[in-house]
Amino acid sequence: ILSQLEFKDSQIFLGQKLNFSKLNIAELNTELVAGFDIILSVEVLEHLAAERMEIAIANLSAYLKSGGLMMHDIDFRDHINLANPHGFLRYGPEAWDKLTKGTIFYTNRLRLKDYLDLFSRHGLKVNWIEIKAEPLNRQIKISEYFNKFTRKELEIIRAFIILEKIN
């Protein structure tokens, strides 16, 4: 299969069946609107700045054909210390940004509920969701910033979501 791949202008082509494109999801490419049947991301969304997520999800939704599927594997763990997946919950937004902004450890710390709200606002319906959770360490003092979430919501460390564009 790899020998059949053709690369052109940041796009990968595999015969007539599959076309892959690398997109800047913060900027809408109007030539590609409603041009994709499937969009897939693996451990990407959590690294986008929270303030840019609205436009990113809006653009991803715009790229999908009606009835198209979007699949995301989202890693909700603390990327600085994977052995302590909930460790970053102790930091408020200012402390977290100061500690991680501009580093490979930055994650937006949005929770599953935040993503589901974003997807819903942009015409995406959840068809499948698989969640992995780990109990919170009772010794971690959680920042007030996360008070809007239940303990169960904070325990989620990974989600695989399949969405369908419904409009």
Side-chain angles (χ1 to χ4, degrees), residues 55-70:
I55 191 70
I57 299 303
N59 289 346
L60 286 173
S61 181
Y63 290 136
L64 267 185
K65 294 177 182 176
S66 183
L69 299 177
M70 194 181 297

Side-chain angles (χ1 to χ4, degrees), residues 52 98 124:
R52 299 181 77 194
K98 186 175 182 181
L124 300 164

Side-chain angles (χ1 to χ4, degrees), residues 24-132:
N24 176 353
I25 59 175
E27 297 174 16
L28 184 65
N29 180 337
T30 56
E31 293 176 11
L32 298 176
V33 168
F36 292 88
D37 296 304
I38 297 174
I39 294 175
L40 171 67
S41 78
V42 177
E43 297 181 16
V44 172
L45 294 183
E46 68 269 17
H47 294 284
L48 300 176
E51 60 273 10
R52 299 181 77 194
M53 285 300 295
E54 191 78 42
I55 191 70
I57 299 303
N59 289 346
L60 286 173
S61 181
Y63 290 136
L64 267 185
K65 294 177 182 176
S66 183
L69 299 177
M70 194 181 297
M71 299 175 227
H72 298 289
D73 185 359
I74 305 170
D75 186 349
F76 295 97
R77 297 176 297 166
D78 181 338
H79 284 43
I80 293 175
N81 182 1
L82 294 176
N84 184 10
H86 307 296
F88 65 177
L89 298 176
R90 66 182 166 219
Y91 299 104
E94 290 176 14
W96 182 248
D97 283 350
K98 186 175 182 181
L99 183 65
T100 65
K101 205 69 158 185
T103 73
I104 62 170
F105 301 110
Y106 175 78
T107 53
N108 56 41
R109 301 186 309 156
L110 296 175
R111 308 315 299 161
L112 180 59
K113 180 181 177 181
D114 297 319
Y115 285 101
L116 294 177
D117 289 345
L118 277 164
F119 297 144
S120 177
R121 281 197 303 273
H122 294 285
L124 300 164
K125 176 186 82 166
V126 175
N127 279 358
W128 173 265
I129 188 164
E130 185 176 317
I131 296 169
K132 182 177 179 186

